[in-house]
Amino acid sequence: MSRRGLLIVLSAPSGTGKTTLVGRLVERVPGLVRSRSYTSRVPRPGEENGVDYHFVAPARFRDMIEAGDFLEWADVFGRFYGTGAAETERCRAAGLDVVLVIDVQGARQVRRRVRDAVAIFVLPPSFGTLEARLRGRSEDVLDPSDLQRRLCTARREVEMVGDYDYVVINNEIDACVDRLRHIVLAERSRVGAMRETIRTVVETFEAVDPAMGRQGQG
Ligand code: ADP
Ligand code: 5GP
Protein backbone atom coordinates (compact mmCIF):
# COMPACT_ATOMS: atom_id res chain seq x y z
CA MET A 1 0.00 0.00 0.00
CA SER A 2 1.81 3.15 -1.11
CA ARG A 3 0.90 6.66 -0.18
CA ARG A 4 2.37 9.88 -1.48
CA GLY A 5 4.33 11.72 1.21
CA LEU A 6 3.29 15.07 2.62
CA LEU A 7 5.18 18.26 1.84
CA ILE A 8 5.73 20.24 5.03
CA VAL A 9 7.24 23.70 5.00
CA LEU A 10 8.75 25.07 8.19
CA SER A 11 9.91 28.67 8.49
CA ALA A 12 11.26 30.71 11.36
CA PRO A 13 13.56 33.69 11.67
CA SER A 14 17.23 32.76 11.76
CA GLY A 15 18.22 31.82 15.32
CA THR A 16 14.72 30.72 16.42
CA GLY A 17 15.81 27.09 16.71
CA LYS A 18 14.45 25.44 13.56
CA THR A 19 17.60 23.39 12.85
CA THR A 20 17.58 22.07 16.42
CA LEU A 21 13.84 21.37 16.37
CA VAL A 22 13.70 19.65 12.99
CA GLY A 23 16.73 17.50 13.85
CA ARG A 24 14.84 16.14 16.86
CA LEU A 25 11.54 15.96 15.02
CA VAL A 26 12.84 13.67 12.26
CA GLU A 27 14.41 11.42 14.92
CA ARG A 28 11.06 11.08 16.66
CA VAL A 29 8.78 10.67 13.65
CA PRO A 30 9.48 7.62 11.47
CA GLY A 31 8.80 8.26 7.81
CA LEU A 32 9.63 11.96 8.05
CA VAL A 33 12.79 13.27 6.39
CA ARG A 34 14.38 16.67 6.18
CA SER A 35 15.14 17.97 2.72
CA ARG A 36 18.76 18.90 2.09
CA SER A 37 18.90 22.32 0.47
CA TYR A 38 21.42 23.73 -1.96
CA THR A 39 23.22 26.90 -0.95
CA SER A 40 25.91 29.16 -2.28
CA ARG A 41 27.03 30.18 1.22
CA VAL A 42 30.23 28.73 2.66
CA PRO A 43 30.01 25.92 5.25
CA ARG A 44 30.19 26.93 8.91
CA PRO A 45 32.68 25.09 11.11
CA GLY A 46 31.40 21.56 11.60
CA GLU A 47 29.08 21.64 8.59
CA GLU A 48 29.56 19.01 5.91
CA ASN A 49 28.77 19.07 2.22
CA GLY A 50 25.93 16.66 1.47
CA VAL A 51 24.96 16.46 5.14
CA ASP A 52 23.90 19.95 6.23
CA TYR A 53 23.53 21.38 2.74
CA HIS A 54 24.73 20.78 -0.78
CA PHE A 55 27.29 23.60 -0.91
CA VAL A 56 27.69 24.84 -4.48
CA ALA A 57 29.35 27.82 -6.18
CA PRO A 58 27.07 30.76 -7.11
CA ALA A 59 27.60 30.05 -10.84
CA ARG A 60 26.48 26.45 -10.42
CA PHE A 61 23.45 27.63 -8.45
CA ARG A 62 22.51 30.01 -11.30
CA ASP A 63 22.86 27.15 -13.80
CA MET A 64 20.50 25.09 -11.68
CA ILE A 65 17.97 27.95 -11.62
CA GLU A 66 18.20 28.13 -15.43
CA ALA A 67 17.72 24.37 -15.72
CA GLY A 68 14.57 24.55 -13.55
CA ASP A 69 16.10 22.26 -10.94
CA PHE A 70 14.50 24.01 -7.95
CA LEU A 71 11.06 23.62 -6.43
CA GLU A 72 11.79 27.02 -4.90
CA TRP A 73 14.83 29.21 -4.36
CA ALA A 74 15.58 32.55 -2.75
CA ASP A 75 18.30 35.03 -1.99
CA VAL A 76 18.63 35.02 1.80
CA PHE A 77 21.16 37.35 3.41
CA GLY A 78 22.89 37.76 0.03
CA ARG A 79 23.34 34.03 -0.60
CA PHE A 80 21.30 31.63 -2.70
CA TYR A 81 19.32 28.85 -1.06
CA GLY A 82 17.06 26.38 -2.88
CA THR A 83 15.17 23.10 -2.65
CA GLY A 84 15.94 20.48 -5.30
CA ALA A 85 12.71 19.55 -7.08
CA ALA A 86 13.78 16.03 -8.10
CA GLU A 87 14.96 14.94 -4.63
CA THR A 88 11.76 16.19 -3.01
CA GLU A 89 9.64 14.41 -5.58
CA ARG A 90 11.60 11.15 -5.17
CA CYS A 91 11.01 11.12 -1.40
CA ARG A 92 7.30 11.91 -1.69
CA ALA A 93 6.82 9.29 -4.39
CA ALA A 94 8.47 6.76 -2.05
CA GLY A 95 5.86 7.61 0.61
CA LEU A 96 8.15 9.69 2.82
CA ASP A 97 6.92 12.95 4.33
CA VAL A 98 9.39 15.71 3.57
CA VAL A 99 10.01 18.78 5.71
CA LEU A 100 11.55 21.81 4.01
CA VAL A 101 13.26 24.24 6.37
CA ILE A 102 13.08 27.35 4.25
CA ASP A 103 12.60 31.10 4.51
CA VAL A 104 9.34 33.01 3.98
CA GLN A 105 10.09 33.79 0.31
CA GLY A 106 10.61 30.11 -0.47
CA ALA A 107 7.54 29.13 1.54
CA ARG A 108 5.40 31.48 -0.56
CA GLN A 109 6.66 29.85 -3.77
CA VAL A 110 5.99 26.33 -2.48
CA ARG A 111 2.46 27.23 -1.39
CA ARG A 112 1.75 28.60 -4.87
CA ARG A 113 3.08 25.47 -6.59
CA VAL A 114 1.98 22.75 -4.19
CA ARG A 115 -1.62 23.36 -3.14
CA ASP A 116 -1.67 20.78 -0.36
CA ALA A 117 1.65 21.77 1.24
CA VAL A 118 1.42 22.19 5.01
CA ALA A 119 3.06 25.37 6.29
CA ILE A 120 4.29 25.79 9.86
CA PHE A 121 5.79 28.96 11.31
CA VAL A 122 7.94 28.74 14.42
CA LEU A 123 8.10 31.91 16.48
CA PRO A 124 10.72 32.67 19.12
CA PRO A 125 9.16 33.61 22.50
CA SER A 126 10.25 37.24 21.99
CA PHE A 127 12.58 39.48 20.03
CA GLY A 128 15.00 39.57 22.97
CA THR A 129 15.17 35.78 23.12
CA LEU A 130 15.85 35.59 19.41
CA GLU A 131 18.71 38.06 19.72
CA ALA A 132 20.18 36.07 22.63
CA ARG A 133 19.95 32.80 20.67
CA LEU A 134 21.60 34.32 17.62
CA ARG A 135 24.42 35.71 19.76
CA GLY A 136 24.76 32.46 21.64
CA ARG A 137 25.00 30.13 18.65
CA SER A 138 28.60 29.11 19.12
CA GLU A 139 29.35 27.69 15.68
CA ASP A 140 28.20 30.90 14.02
CA VAL A 141 30.58 33.63 12.92
CA LEU A 142 28.23 36.60 12.85
CA ASP A 143 29.74 40.05 12.76
CA PRO A 144 27.60 42.87 14.25
CA SER A 145 26.21 43.95 10.85
CA ASP A 146 25.27 40.34 10.05
CA LEU A 147 23.45 40.09 13.36
CA GLN A 148 21.57 43.36 12.75
CA ARG A 149 20.64 42.18 9.27
CA ARG A 150 19.17 38.93 10.62
CA LEU A 151 17.22 40.79 13.31
CA CYS A 152 15.83 43.30 10.77
CA THR A 153 14.82 40.43 8.47
CA ALA A 154 13.21 38.69 11.47
CA ARG A 155 10.95 41.73 12.02
CA ARG A 156 9.62 41.42 8.46
CA GLU A 157 9.39 37.63 8.61
CA VAL A 158 7.19 37.46 11.73
CA GLU A 159 4.65 39.60 9.87
CA MET A 160 4.14 36.68 7.47
CA VAL A 161 2.92 34.26 10.13
CA GLY A 162 -0.72 34.78 9.06
CA ASP A 163 0.04 33.10 5.70
CA TYR A 164 0.90 29.80 7.44
CA ASP A 165 -1.38 26.95 8.56
CA TYR A 166 0.16 26.41 11.98
CA VAL A 167 2.23 28.37 14.46
CA VAL A 168 4.35 27.00 17.28
CA ILE A 169 6.33 29.02 19.83
CA ASN A 170 9.79 27.66 20.53
CA ASN A 171 9.90 28.32 24.24
CA GLU A 172 11.00 24.93 25.49
CA ILE A 173 12.57 22.57 22.96
CA ASP A 174 10.89 19.28 23.91
CA ALA A 175 7.43 20.83 24.18
CA CYS A 176 7.89 22.48 20.80
CA VAL A 177 9.07 19.26 19.15
CA ASP A 178 6.05 17.52 20.62
CA ARG A 179 3.68 20.06 19.12
CA LEU A 180 5.37 19.76 15.73
CA ARG A 181 5.05 15.98 15.98
CA HIS A 182 1.34 16.28 16.68
CA ILE A 183 0.88 18.54 13.67
CA VAL A 184 2.56 15.96 11.42
CA LEU A 185 0.44 13.14 12.87
CA ALA A 186 -2.76 15.16 12.44
CA GLU A 187 -1.87 15.98 8.83
CA ARG A 188 -1.21 12.29 8.18
CA SER A 189 -4.75 11.53 9.40
CA ARG A 190 -6.50 13.90 7.00
CA VAL A 191 -8.93 12.14 4.69
CA GLY A 192 -7.07 13.64 1.72
CA ALA A 193 -3.79 12.15 2.93
CA MET A 194 -5.37 8.75 3.70
CA ARG A 195 -7.09 8.20 0.32
CA GLU A 196 -5.11 5.06 -0.63
CA THR A 197 -5.64 3.43 2.75
CA ILE A 198 -9.31 4.34 2.80
CA ARG A 199 -9.81 2.85 -0.67
CA THR A 200 -8.11 -0.38 0.33
CA VAL A 201 -10.28 -0.76 3.42
CA VAL A 202 -13.51 0.23 1.67
CA GLU A 203 -12.79 -2.25 -1.13
CA THR A 204 -12.86 -5.08 1.41
CA PHE A 205 -16.44 -4.03 2.23
CA GLU A 206 -17.45 -3.86 -1.43
CA ALA A 207 -16.19 -7.39 -2.05
CA VAL A 208 -18.50 -8.85 0.57
CA ASP A 209 -21.96 -10.12 -0.39
CA PRO A 210 -24.48 -8.13 1.75
CA ALA A 211 -26.14 -11.44 2.67
CA MET A 212 -22.85 -12.58 4.23
CA GLY A 213 -22.77 -9.41 6.29
CA ARG A 214 -26.19 -10.31 7.74
CA GLN A 215 -24.97 -13.85 8.28
CA GLY A 216 -22.17 -12.46 10.44
CA GLN A 217 -24.77 -10.91 12.76
CA GLY A 218 -26.84 -14.05 13.10
P1 ADP B 1 17.92 28.31 13.38
O1 ADP B 1 18.15 27.03 12.66
O2 ADP B 1 16.48 28.71 13.45
O3 ADP B 1 18.78 29.45 12.88
P2 ADP B 1 19.25 26.98 15.64
O4 ADP B 1 18.58 25.66 15.67
O5 ADP B 1 20.65 27.06 15.09
O6 ADP B 1 18.33 28.10 14.92
O7 ADP B 1 19.21 27.55 17.13
C1 ADP B 1 19.80 28.81 17.48
C2 ADP B 1 20.38 28.69 18.89
O8 ADP B 1 19.31 28.64 19.84
C3 ADP B 1 21.20 27.42 19.11
O9 ADP B 1 22.33 27.75 19.92
C4 ADP B 1 20.23 26.49 19.82
O10 ADP B 1 20.91 25.56 20.63
C5 ADP B 1 19.40 27.47 20.65
N1 ADP B 1 18.01 27.03 20.91
C6 ADP B 1 17.13 26.48 20.03
N2 ADP B 1 15.93 26.25 20.62
C7 ADP B 1 16.05 26.68 21.90
C8 ADP B 1 15.16 26.71 23.04
N3 ADP B 1 13.90 26.29 22.96
N4 ADP B 1 15.64 27.22 24.19
C9 ADP B 1 16.91 27.67 24.28
N5 ADP B 1 17.80 27.66 23.27
C10 ADP B 1 17.39 27.18 22.09
P1 5GP C 1 21.50 29.30 7.46
O1 5GP C 1 22.49 29.99 6.57
O2 5GP C 1 21.46 29.88 8.84
O3 5GP C 1 21.64 27.80 7.44
O4 5GP C 1 20.05 29.59 6.83
C1 5GP C 1 19.66 30.92 6.63
C2 5GP C 1 18.23 30.95 6.15
O5 5GP C 1 18.10 30.29 4.89
C3 5GP C 1 17.25 30.28 7.08
O6 5GP C 1 16.17 31.18 7.32
C4 5GP C 1 16.76 29.09 6.31
O7 5GP C 1 15.42 28.78 6.57
C5 5GP C 1 16.90 29.56 4.88
N1 5GP C 1 16.99 28.42 3.96
C6 5GP C 1 17.73 27.28 4.12
N2 5GP C 1 17.55 26.47 3.08
C7 5GP C 1 16.66 27.09 2.24
C8 5GP C 1 16.08 26.74 0.99
O8 5GP C 1 16.31 25.69 0.41
N3 5GP C 1 15.25 27.66 0.44
C9 5GP C 1 14.95 28.85 1.03
N4 5GP C 1 14.10 29.67 0.42
N5 5GP C 1 15.49 29.20 2.21
C10 5GP C 1 16.32 28.34 2.80
Side-chain angles (χ1 to χ4, degrees):
M1 206 182 329
S2 75
R3 118 192 204 285
R4 187 169 159 73
L6 301 170
L7 188 62
I8 299 165
V9 172
L10 187 141
S11 303
S14 178
T16 300
K18 54 194 177 301
T19 309
T20 311
L21 294 167
V22 172
R24 295 192 188 195
L25 182 68
V26 297
E27 273 174 19
R28 284 195 56 194
V29 182
L32 178 69
V33 294
R34 184 191 164 151
S35 151
R36 193 167 296 116
S37 295
Y38 289 79
T39 183
S40 68
R41 82 153 163 77
V42 294
R44 296 192 184 113
E47 284 185 332
E48 255 183 75
N49 188 26
V51 176
D52 301 282
Y53 283 101
H54 297 291
F55 294 98
V56 296
R60 164 109 177 90
F61 198 103
R62 282 193 204 93
D63 288 346
M64 291 180 72
I65 296 172
E66 284 294 305
D69 289 345
F70 292 118
L71 172 63
E72 62 74 36
W73 67 273
D75 179 328
V76 187
F77 310 125
R79 300 277 180 261
F80 293 128
Y81 292 82
T83 305
E87 291 103 304
T88 309
E89 182 49 38
R90 250 196 315 276
C91 287
R92 295 187 71 197
L96 293 168
D97 298 330
V98 185
V99 56
L100 312 180
V101 184
I102 61 178
D103 86 318
V104 295
Q105 307 170 73
R108 201 178 306 126
Q109 294 170 46
V110 172
R111 283 170 70 76
R112 268 205 305 265
R113 293 180 70 168
V114 184
R115 298 288 302 277
D116 57 356
V118 179
I120 308 172
F121 199 96
V122 181
L123 277 173
S126 68
F127 181 82
T129 310
L130 178 68
E131 184 172 4
R133 284 187 192 162
L134 267 175
R135 286 184 192 279
R137 191 162 58 182
S138 52
E139 71 271 23
D140 225 340
V141 276
L142 288 182
D143 60 42
S145 66
D146 225 350
L147 177 72
Q148 282 316 313
R149 192 173 180 192
R150 280 171 199 245
L151 291 173
C152 280
T153 305
R155 280 211 177 87
R156 288 200 310 272
E157 286 175 328
V158 296
E159 286 169 9
M160 309 304 292
V161 64
D163 291 348
Y164 286 68
D165 302 304
Y166 296 95
V167 63
V168 181
I169 315 277
N170 182 18
N171 217 328
E172 201 276 312
I173 296 182
D174 286 339
C176 190
V177 171
D178 220 40
R179 274 191 178 246
L180 293 171
R181 184 175 148 266
H182 285 116
I183 292 169
V184 175
L185 299 185
E187 286 295 327
R188 282 181 177 176
S189 301
R190 277 188 183 276
V191 170
M194 293 282 285
R195 285 227 162 83
E196 301 283 324
T197 313
I198 294 169
R199 190 177 314 125
T200 312
V201 174
V202 170
E203 271 170 11
T204 68
F205 284 73
E206 286 163 357
V208 173
D209 179 343
M212 275 181 70
R214 279 200 298 277
Q215 247 177 25
Q217 289 165 19

